[in-house]
């Protein structure tokens, strides 16, 4: 059975950073886990959000035609995700012709069902959020000695807009939306579900779904009106449909798990399902909402110059290192903090020392032909955590088992036992425990650090067909011999 996971699509106004990689890696780990544990045919979609005012302004600032900027930055995202071992089935660019076709088809469908009305918008617009705001969402602040209006949610400066456009009547969807959120939608962690429900209690103003060409010339044209382009959020949300073959036969729908950051919960928990319900399509089953990364305790921002680029992070930590750090240190329900020192300490301690040393110690003793014991409770504990998308908790459990095994090996001193032929049985059982711990850890680590786990299992001589979740749930039936390849899994960081 298919398991369809999506990441948000990323704005191409700037190069990918740590936070973007986190969204993608979290989704990728969720997909890999569904395949590993439940045998699901897991498919991930990702891509780039290339239209709208924000991207248009970035292109103007760079002195480039928007299409050139989009091509350049979209490729950077694609390369970063590939370098981070994010396995996607479809990479949707909103400038792809099949996507424009999907958007226009979706628009016509809404129109034919009476959900597109002529209207106008007078109020605030936040370009960084590409969002229309009600007066209650705007406050005043003094910045650089000047009074400015800002979005109270995002803190971004807003601009005044008065324009003719098309409108989607949100208020008409309110009852259906509430019913769906209460009865059919799973939001993780639960606190974001409660937040979503509170929004549905409040008024739902109608949503402007287009922008006049005179304001914005970079978007998908509204069918039948060359003076308007489709609002960038409607355009972007349809990417999930494009990824599943819309408007043709839907290969996978609805998404089983949509990974989003907390800043875009309203778009995915309110507007997106309202649009889908209006179009007669099923809304997603689950929203996995994650919090944000700060750097040394401060919000990442271009103006502060503290943005950790995806390139730098991948070069410094490797794909496995970065994935491990993000999923070990990141918890979905609250913001995570990145510091270079913390990343190096964590990766050195857990991947290089605790995990790496255990393998190294077995390798030094050279042979292990009996695998006697299993780390029996580990797959269940880790599975329970991964089911909640709390990868950090699963990793904690794996590390605890590895630490105990390391202590055990330290205590038994197999390097001493080796020199005493009469204690051969003891030597074998000691190595067997250590190797079994590594085997189970290797299998359970696959969704998080696929390449490192693969090398570990190679070294242990675990055959590719014996790397399923169920193989971790049973003790290894046969004696193991260390395979070839390096015993160094993670090169220590300085
Ligand atoms: N283009 C929209 C999404 C459209 S989806 C139909 C968008 N793009 S974004 O590039 O600004 O953000 C993409 C994702 O990256 C979001 O999930 C956002 O929460 C995430 N992150 C951006 N900065 C982040 C951090 N500092 N930390 C963690 N994730 C962050 O929104």
């Amino acid at each position: 059975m298919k398991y369809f996971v999506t990441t948000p699509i990323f704005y191409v106004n700037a190069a990918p950073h740590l936070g973007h990689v986190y969204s993608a890696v979290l989704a990728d780990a969720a997909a890999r886990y569904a395949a590993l544990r439940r045998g699901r045919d897991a498919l991930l979609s990702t891509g780039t959000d290339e239209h709208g005012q924000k991207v248009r302004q970035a292109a103007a600032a760079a002195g480039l035609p928007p299409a050139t900027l989009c091509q350049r930055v979209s490729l950077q995202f694609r390369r970063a995700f590939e370098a981070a071992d994010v396995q996607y089935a479809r990479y949707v660019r909103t400038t792809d012709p099949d996507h424009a076709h999907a958007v226009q088809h979706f628009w016509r469908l809404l129109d034919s069902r009476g959900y597109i009305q002529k209207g106008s918008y007078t109020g605030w617009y936040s370009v960084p959020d590409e969002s229309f705001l009600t007066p209650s969402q705007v406050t005043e602040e003094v910045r650089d000695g000047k009074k400015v209006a800002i979005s109270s949610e995002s803190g971004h400066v807003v601009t005044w807009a008065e324009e003719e456009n098309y409108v989607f009547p949100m208020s008409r969807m309110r009852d259906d939306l509430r019913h769906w959120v209460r009865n059919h939608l799973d939001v993780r962690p639960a606190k974001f579900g409660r937040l979503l429900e509170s929004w549905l209690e409040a008024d739902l103003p109608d949503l402007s779904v287009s922008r006049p060409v005179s304001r914005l010339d970079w978007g998908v044209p509204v069918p039948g009106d060359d003076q308007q382009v489709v609002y960038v959020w409607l355009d972007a949300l349809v990417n999930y449909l494009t990824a599943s073959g819309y408007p043709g036969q839907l290969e996978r729908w609805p998404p089983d798990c949509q990974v989003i950051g907390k800043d875009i919960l309203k778009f995915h928990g309110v507007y997106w399902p309202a649009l889908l319900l209006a179009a007669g399509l099923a809304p997603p089953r689950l929203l996995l909402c994650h919090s944000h990364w700060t750097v040394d305790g401060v919000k990442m921002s271009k103006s502060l110059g503290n943005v950790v680029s995806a390139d730098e992070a991948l070069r410094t930590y490797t794909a496995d290192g970065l994935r491990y750090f993000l999923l070990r240190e990141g918890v979905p329900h609250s913001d995570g903090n990145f510091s270079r020192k913390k990343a190096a300490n964590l990766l050195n301690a857990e991947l290089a020392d605790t995990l790496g040393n255990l393998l190294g110690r077995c390798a030094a003793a050279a042979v292990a032909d009996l695998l006697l014991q299993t780390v029996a409770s580990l797959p269940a504990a880790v599975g329970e955590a991964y089911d909640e998308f709390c990868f950090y908790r699963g990793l904690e459990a794996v590390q605890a088992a590895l630490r105990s095994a390391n202590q055990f090996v330290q205590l038994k001193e197999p390097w001493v036992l080796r020199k005493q032929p009469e204690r051969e049985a003891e030597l074998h059982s000691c190595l067997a425990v250590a190797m079994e711990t590594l085997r189970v850890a290797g299998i359970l680590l696959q969704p998080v650090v696929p390449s490192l786990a693969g090398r570990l299992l190679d070294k242990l001589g675990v055959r590719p067909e014996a790397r399923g979740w169920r193989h971790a749930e049973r003790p290894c039936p046969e004696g193991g011999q260390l395979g070839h390849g390096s015993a160094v899994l993670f090169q220590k960081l300085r």
Side-chain angles (χ1 to χ4, degrees):
M1 223 177 36
K2 293 207 160 130
Y3 188 79
F4 181 28
V5 186
T6 68
T7 78
I9 52 169
F10 301 84
Y11 287 129
V12 291
N13 62 307
H17 62 53
L18 193 78
H20 302 133
V21 178
Y22 180 55
S23 271
V25 161
L26 182 58
D28 181 63
R32 286 176 188 265
Y33 174 57
L36 179 67
R37 176 97 193 255
R38 321 234 177 263
R40 303 283 291 269
D41 177 12
L43 294 153
L44 176 72
S45 79
T46 187
T48 39
D49 192 350
E50 306 186 10
H51 290 132
Q53 217 168 321
K54 179 174 166 129
V55 170
R56 185 74 190 81
Q57 283 180 1
L64 293 171
T68 310
L69 177 82
C70 291
Q71 173 70 22
R72 191 177 289 175
V73 184
S74 179
L75 196 62
Q76 288 178 350
F77 272 95
R78 192 194 281 253
R79 290 209 173 120
F81 294 159
E82 282 168 4
D85 281 342
V86 171
Q87 263 173 357
Y88 54 81
R90 171 74 203 254
Y91 190 93
V92 179
R93 295 183 58 188
T94 53
T95 50
D96 286 338
D98 68 335
H99 173 73
H101 179 60
V103 171
Q104 292 189 327
H105 192 274
F106 189 76
W107 179 284
R108 280 196 208 95
L109 180 65
L110 289 178
D111 196 14
S112 69
R113 291 173 149 242
Y115 285 103
I116 300 282
Q117 300 162 353
K118 221 112 209 162
S120 63
Y121 180 76
T122 306
W124 297 102
Y125 190 79
S126 165
V127 175
D129 306 308
E130 293 284 15
S131 178
F132 298 94
L133 300 167
T134 59
S136 66
Q137 293 171 313
V138 176
T139 52
E140 269 189 354
E141 229 182 67
V142 177
R143 286 196 184 167
D144 302 328
K146 264 195 286 177
K147 227 194 234 173
V148 284
I150 60 157
S151 154
S152 31
E153 236 172 82
S154 70
H156 288 130
V157 175
V158 298
T159 44
W160 187 254
E162 284 183 33
E163 56 193 45
E164 296 292 311
N165 46 27
Y166 290 96
V167 165
F168 174 81
M170 276 302 292
S171 45
R172 267 170 60 191
M173 301 312 299
R174 192 157 137 158
D175 290 345
D176 284 359
L177 200 52
R178 273 190 187 161
H179 175 81
W180 168 75
V181 168
R182 288 205 187 121
N183 302 301
H184 301 290
L185 175 70
D186 199 355
V187 183
R188 307 286 179 85
K191 77 168 201 187
F192 291 117
R194 290 192 290 275
L195 185 61
L196 181 53
E197 288 202 34
S198 75
W199 289 334
L200 295 181
E201 293 310 313
D203 277 348
L204 289 178
D206 291 347
L207 178 68
S208 292
V209 284
S210 70
R211 310 285 317 271
V213 170
S214 55
R215 282 294 183 95
L216 175 65
D217 59 357
W218 185 237
V220 175
V222 164
D225 185 347
D226 59 7
Q227 289 312 297
Q228 296 273 326
V229 293
V230 176
Y231 171 42
V232 65
W233 264 103
L234 172 52
D235 174 355
L237 288 163
V238 170
N239 96 83
Y240 304 126
L241 284 166
T242 307
S244 38
Y246 187 85
Q249 179 76 30
L250 291 185
E251 292 160 29
R252 34 185 189 261
W253 199 262
D256 297 282
C257 174
Q258 297 213 277
V259 174
I260 53 170
K262 62 180 182 179
D263 53 323
I264 54 175
L265 176 61
K266 194 175 278 171
F267 291 100
H268 286 81
V270 179
Y271 300 134
W272 177 223
L275 291 163
L276 285 169
L277 289 167
L281 289 159
R285 297 196 170 98
L286 184 145
L287 295 179
L288 168 56
C289 190
H290 65 73
S291 302
H292 280 186
W293 286 94
T294 54
V295 172
D296 299 321
V298 182
K299 191 176 162 170
M300 262 191 282
S301 96
K302 240 201 246 169
S303 52
L304 289 175
N306 67 344
V307 176
V308 178
S309 81
D311 271 4
E312 183 214 312
L314 283 160
R315 245 184 292 117
T316 311
Y317 303 109
T318 71
D320 285 319
L322 184 58
R323 290 173 68 102
Y324 190 87
F325 175 81
L326 291 172
L327 296 180
R328 173 74 169 100
E329 188 64 26
V331 298
H333 45 272
S334 56
D335 287 352
N337 184 42
F338 170 86
S339 85
R340 288 172 176 81
K341 197 163 175 209
K342 184 158 73 172
N345 286 345
L346 178 86
L347 295 172
N348 286 344
E350 299 202 343
L351 289 189
D353 290 342
T354 311
L355 175 64
N357 281 351
L358 185 56
L359 179 66
R361 281 171 188 153
C362 295
V367 188
D369 45 18
L370 276 172
L371 292 171
L372 296 175
Q373 228 173 328
T374 184
V375 188
S377 60
L378 201 54
V382 173
E384 202 180 80
Y386 285 8
D387 277 339
E388 293 296 316
F389 308 101
C390 288
F391 290 99
Y392 74 97
R393 259 204 286 124
L395 297 174
E396 224 162 62
V398 170
Q399 282 296 325
L402 289 170
R403 276 196 303 272
S404 319
N406 267 316
Q407 279 163 5
F408 176 70
V409 172
Q410 199 84 49
L411 198 76
K412 284 280 182 190
E413 299 186 311
W415 45 93
V416 177
L417 293 179
R418 245 181 106 208
K419 295 182 192 137
Q420 304 171 348
E422 72 283 4
R423 297 179 72 189
E424 197 185 332
E426 223 180 307
L427 170 67
H428 280 164
S429 75
C430 159
L431 291 175
V433 170
M435 303 269 288
E436 179 62 353
T437 310
L438 283 168
R439 184 186 70 89
V440 172
I443 292 175
L444 305 183
L445 284 172
Q446 291 177 102
V448 174
V449 280
S451 148
L452 181 149
R455 281 182 281 119
L456 167 58
L457 293 168
D458 285 348
K459 180 72 191 164
L460 294 174
V462 179
R463 285 171 290 114
E465 61 279 14
R467 298 179 182 188
W469 192 272
R470 67 196 160 83
H471 296 102
E473 289 172 327
R474 298 196 285 268
C476 182
E478 60 205 47
Q481 189 89 2
L482 276 187
H484 299 293
S486 167
V488 179
L489 295 175
F490 189 79
Q491 201 66 49
K492 267 203 173 184
L493 298 156
R494 284 167 205 284

